[in-house]
Amino acid sequence: MKIIGDNIYTLSLAGNPNVGKSTIFNLLTGMNQHTGNWTGKTVECSKGGFTFNNDRFEITDLPGTYSLLSFSKEEQVTRDYLINSHSDCVIIVADANAVERNLVFALQVLSVCDKAVLCLNLNDEAERNGVIIDENKLSEQLGIPVVKCCASKNRGIKELKQTISEVCKGETDCRINYSLIEGLNICDYKLHNRNIRELNKTASEICDECVNKTGIEHVNLRTEKLDKILTSKKYGIPIMLLVFGLLFWITVVGANYPSQWLSSLFSFCKDRLVYLFDIFHTPSFVKGIIIDGVYTTLSWVVSVMLPPMAIFFPLFSLIEDSGYLPRIAFNLDKFFAKCGTHGKQSLTMAMGIGCNACGVTGCRIIENERDRNISILTNSFMPCNGRFPILIAVTMSFFAAGANKLVASIEVALVLLTAIVFAVALTLLISKVLSVTYKGAPSGFALELPPYRKPQIIKSIVRSLLDRTVFVLGRAVLVAAPAGAVIWLLANITINDVSLLKYCTDFFNQFGLFIGLDGVIVMALILGFPANEIVIPIILMSYLSCSTLTDYTGYEQLSQILHSNGWSAVTAVCMLIITLLHFPCSTTVLTIKKETGSFKTALLSMAIPMALGIILCTAVASIARIFY
């Protein structure tokens, strides 16, 4: 049904997860939606459009799901949209490697639509795997056009557009074979088991007629061999730790030089800015708050945060694109099951390693509100990209000082890996406690292990840089700019020749010493609420009594400054603990408030890790006082 004009048509895009649906959406519309080789990537509807032969087509990308029964949020959104939208054409995207499984979903879609096109994606991969599909027979069986394509190589997209246009205009017959789905009622959950049995039988009969799987056994055997190693009880977890350890090591080593270059560039630009402000005789107050406050804070956030993100996120995307990430979730699923929570939490937890705000947003893939809230509340236990600089600085200053660069980088990578393991253990522990507190039972979790694929290296790197690195950095910059002004004001507004910052650090000093830290560290953590990257500079500014954020030329110099201000190995250990366990940044808290609609949940997300951090730091400090 045309909704605006004679040449405007509405389309819906539906399909199982991991079939390349989002990639096809991007190719059709030109939009840059993130794609990934793991379940639950798309949760909300995305909209776009394209023009073909002077006609306009408005397309809605529906959440990827395996069924149209209202079991999860994704299924409910997709089902309700297909029933109520009355699209001119529904594009059903299927994986040519697994036609039978995809047909179960396709038949459900056909039961609620008038016109449809079946798009067999990944066809080149299927042919390499020995899967030969007779699209003409399949089209005849279903009563709808069938188009083969390979979205990753932009093949078949023009043919797909042509077919969609012909179906919408009525130039191609689209007579759905309703005898295949006679009696199917997707709105009646009670009939679910019967419906699935019938659909599986029908899909199997269709595939017997239309699909020849001459070589698929070889591919399945290869996948099974890899999975026996990567998901085994003996090797699964150690390999996962090795992968993340290597990931952290590459990030640590690779980020050093770009950080130094960016820092030098910003320092050069700062000198030019000062010169420019002097030419215009800018008042010292204005110059101070803009240059020493806002600009210096922003330069710190960018120079410290950008390099590790630009390395970590692309590498993580390659792991994701290869199909290994669902195996990590599989390895951790049994632990979350024992804690009475949802297996998908392992996926959102992995996302939180890069950015807690992204991890919180990723919790949308968990359909049960109880499990989703538990995942959100524990996501900030994972050390995000903003906390890595603190962990690296403290480790290099106290536990890797004097070591050569290779040894030091390995030690830092091991500390980061230990931090991840510790964070996972705490996540499981607190999830268990929250699962008892929250009413209700955990929902089921069906995790598909997609086939291993060769990552699209260039595409994955570009997408991760644009969708993750630039997005997270931009958000941090927006928050850090006003924070820089506030920090400068606190350091430069004085009462009786004592800055407000000094009054604050003195106020918190007794409490800080009690938990193994000091007032300067406590105040730096509070002021670092907008962006964790500025915590170390604030500490240095306070110790050195400077009026602006202070840089350091190396970790040996940083070690000297910290030692001269009372830091010990116990202080360093407590600093590592409180870095992992303190309230999440302002961006994450706001994201939690937006996702849950609950101010109480946002406050809990701050209170839980902070309370744990204080308890553990106090325990470490108390034990140290007994023995030293």
Side-chain angles (χ1 to χ4, degrees), residues 27-255:
L27 291 172
L28 289 175
T29 64
M31 295 179 65
N32 294 317
Q33 186 182 22
H34 178 65
T35 58
N37 185 30
W38 53 291
T39 302
K41 199 64 188 173
T42 308
V43 179
E44 294 183 332
C45 298
S46 299
K47 297 181 181 293
F50 64 93
T51 301
F52 186 78
N53 290 342
N54 298 321
D55 294 321
R56 180 67 182 172
F57 297 86
E58 302 294 337
I59 183 170
T60 300
D61 182 18
L62 300 172
T65 179
Y66 296 104
S67 172
L68 293 183
L69 292 168
S70 297
F71 177 74
S72 71
K73 179 181 177 182
E74 296 100 315
E75 293 166 2
Q76 185 174 359
V77 168
T78 301
R79 186 198 68 176
D80 291 348
Y81 188 91
L82 289 173
I83 291 175
N84 300 317
S85 66
H86 305 292
S87 300
D88 291 299
C89 180
V90 177
I91 308 159
I92 307 171
V93 182
D95 184 351
N97 293 282
V99 178
E100 184 172 334
R101 172 173 58 77
N102 282 251
L103 279 179
V104 174
F105 174 76
L107 291 170
Q108 294 178 56
V109 174
L110 294 180
S111 71
V112 295
C113 69
D114 299 321
K115 295 180 179 180
V117 173
L118 180 64
C119 174
L120 293 175
N121 192 28
L122 304 168
N123 186 64
D124 60 332
E125 181 180 308
E127 290 181 351
R128 286 199 304 270
N129 294 338
V131 179
I132 308 300
I133 303 170
D134 189 331
E135 66 268 33
N136 295 323
K137 278 188 178 181
L138 185 57
S139 175
E140 184 180 342
Q141 288 271 356
L142 298 175
I144 61 173
V146 176
V147 180
K148 291 182 177 179
C149 74
C150 175
S152 62
K153 298 179 180 178
N154 200 10
R155 294 176 182 171
I157 301 302
K158 185 177 180 181
E159 291 80 0
L160 178 61
K161 288 183 176 180
Q162 180 67 45
T163 304
I164 292 170
S165 175
E166 292 174 356
V167 169
C168 288
K169 293 179 177 181
E171 296 174 355
T172 294
D173 286 338
C174 189
R175 300 177 181 177
I176 296 173
N177 186 359
Y178 289 107
S179 64
L180 298 174
I181 45 180
E182 186 176 0
L184 177 63
N185 183 358
I186 65 171
C187 296
D188 191 343
Y189 184 75
K190 295 179 181 179
L191 300 176
H192 175 260
N193 291 334
R194 191 204 72 181
N195 288 335
I196 291 298
R197 285 196 301 270
E198 293 297 324
L199 289 170
N200 282 330
K201 180 181 177 182
T202 302
S204 177
E205 291 173 351
I206 294 174
C207 284
D208 288 342
E209 291 287 330
C210 308
V211 182
N212 182 8
K213 302 179 180 179
T214 56
I216 194 65
E217 292 81 6
H218 170 71
V219 177
N220 290 338
L221 181 62
R222 182 183 61 191
T223 299
E224 287 176 6
K225 285 183 177 179
L226 285 173
D227 280 343
K228 281 183 179 179
I229 298 173
L230 298 180
T231 63
S232 68
K233 293 182 179 180
K234 186 176 181 179
Y235 300 111
I237 299 295
I239 291 176
M240 180 186 70
L241 294 176
L242 181 62
V243 169
F244 274 101
L246 182 62
L247 184 65
F248 291 134
W249 180 76
I250 295 174
T251 301
V252 170
V253 173

Side-chain angles (χ1 to χ4, degrees), residues 338-472:
K338 290 180 180 179
C339 293
T341 55
H342 203 294
K344 285 183 181 178
Q345 186 174 347
S346 56
L347 296 175
T348 64
M349 183 179 66
M351 295 172 66
I353 295 175
C355 173
N356 292 140
C358 293
V360 169
T361 303
C363 292
R364 296 174 185 174
I365 66 175
I366 301 176
E367 50 276 353
N368 183 283
E369 184 179 1
R370 165 194 180 273
D371 299 332
R372 187 165 58 250
N373 284 337
I374 292 174
S375 183
I376 287 173
L377 287 173
T378 57
N379 194 270
S380 60
F381 291 153
M382 302 306 296
C384 65
N385 191 74
R387 303 185 204 187
F388 286 160
I390 308 174
L391 299 174
I392 293 171
V394 174
T395 303
M396 289 293 290
S397 300
F398 274 84
F399 307 112
N404 63 57
K405 291 184 178 181
L406 177 61
V407 174
S409 64
I410 294 175
E411 289 179 351
V412 172
L414 289 175
V415 168
L416 292 178
L417 183 60
T418 303
I420 294 294
V421 174
F422 178 67
V424 171
L426 269 180
T427 299
L428 292 168
L429 175 63
I430 302 304
S431 294
K432 178 63 176 178
V433 174
L434 291 175
S435 69
V436 176
T437 305
Y438 273 95
K439 295 181 180 179
S443 54
F445 176 36
L447 176 64
E448 179 195 18
L449 295 181
Y452 293 99
R453 296 191 178 111
K454 182 180 179 181
Q456 302 174 46
I457 298 177
I458 302 299
K459 188 174 182 179
S460 294
I461 291 175
V462 172
R463 287 267 48 81
S464 65
L465 289 175
L466 293 177
D467 289 344
R468 291 177 173 173
T469 305
V470 175
F471 175 72
V472 175

Side-chain angles (χ1 to χ4, degrees), residues 573-616:
V573 170
C574 289
M575 185 63 188
L576 293 176
I577 293 173
I578 205 67
T579 299
L580 288 173
L581 295 173
H582 71 274
F583 44 78
C585 70
S586 58
T587 302
T588 302
V589 174
L590 291 173
T591 303
I592 292 173
K593 172 62 174 65
K594 179 181 177 182
E595 291 294 312
T596 63
S598 170
F599 187 67
K600 178 183 176 181
T601 303
L603 289 179
L604 276 175
S605 71
M606 299 176 66
I608 292 174
M610 197 71 244
L612 283 172
I614 292 173
I615 291 171
L616 287 176

